[in-house]
Amino acid sequence: MKNLKIAIGSDHAGYELKKELIEYLHNNKYEVFDEGTNSIERCDYVDFAKKVAIKVAKKEVDRGILICGTGIGMSIASNKIKGIKAALCVTEYMAKFSRLHNNSNILCLGSRTVETRENLKIVKIWLETDFEGGRHIPRLNKIEDLEKENL
């Protein structure tokens, strides 16, 4: 597996989980770009979704991870950036198939909806799973066409 560059961001609700994930990523030799927040002080998830998504879209990093209370807000916000395929995953199965079939480039997590230990498993699977291509490529091309028409 190549040394992936990962941008990571969270709001206040995801800050503690973000710290755990950064430690995990460093321990597993990933290059990490922390896009904030840097405290549990209330802030807006949209600001951090934007920072990470733009880095991913510009290919400054290979993938991104975003964390808020549920992962929903981060998923909605980051998917507004052209070229982003953000997936909110609450199980290892979802993480695996978001990569295999959808080639997701941002993983969204909920710190308040999934236990830390399970989130770590989700991240591991997501990072280690490659896109299988093939029959999924025409579907992803249709998604890109939607972006061209509407974003």
Side-chain angles (χ1 to χ4, degrees), residues 65-85:
I65 299 172
L66 290 166
I67 311 130
C68 62
T70 62
I72 296 168
M74 288 294 199
S75 176
I76 292 169
S78 60
N79 274 312
K80 299 299 181 195
I81 304 297
K82 186 174 182 179
I84 295 305
K85 295 180 293 294

Side-chain angles (χ1 to χ4, degrees), residues 55-74:
K55 269 189 150 8
V56 173
K58 289 183 173 181
K59 300 192 184 319
E60 294 172 11
V61 295
D62 299 299
R63 297 191 206 162
I65 299 172
L66 290 166
I67 311 130
C68 62
T70 62
I72 296 168
M74 288 294 199

Side-chain angles (χ1 to χ4, degrees), residues 42-57:
R42 182 177 296 276
C43 59
D44 295 328
Y45 60 84
V46 178
D47 300 330
F48 306 99
K50 179 181 176 182
K51 287 180 181 183
V52 169
I54 287 174
K55 269 189 150 8
V56 173

Side-chain angles (χ1 to χ4, degrees), residues 66-104:
L66 290 166
I67 311 130
C68 62
T70 62
I72 296 168
M74 288 294 199
S75 176
I76 292 169
S78 60
N79 274 312
K80 299 299 181 195
I81 304 297
K82 186 174 182 179
I84 295 305
K85 295 180 293 294
L88 170 57
C89 297
V90 297
T91 67
E92 293 173 66
Y93 183 87
M94 291 174 74
K96 180 178 180 177
F97 282 90
S98 79
R99 290 287 308 135
L100 277 175
H101 291 188
N102 307 112
N103 200 21
S104 63

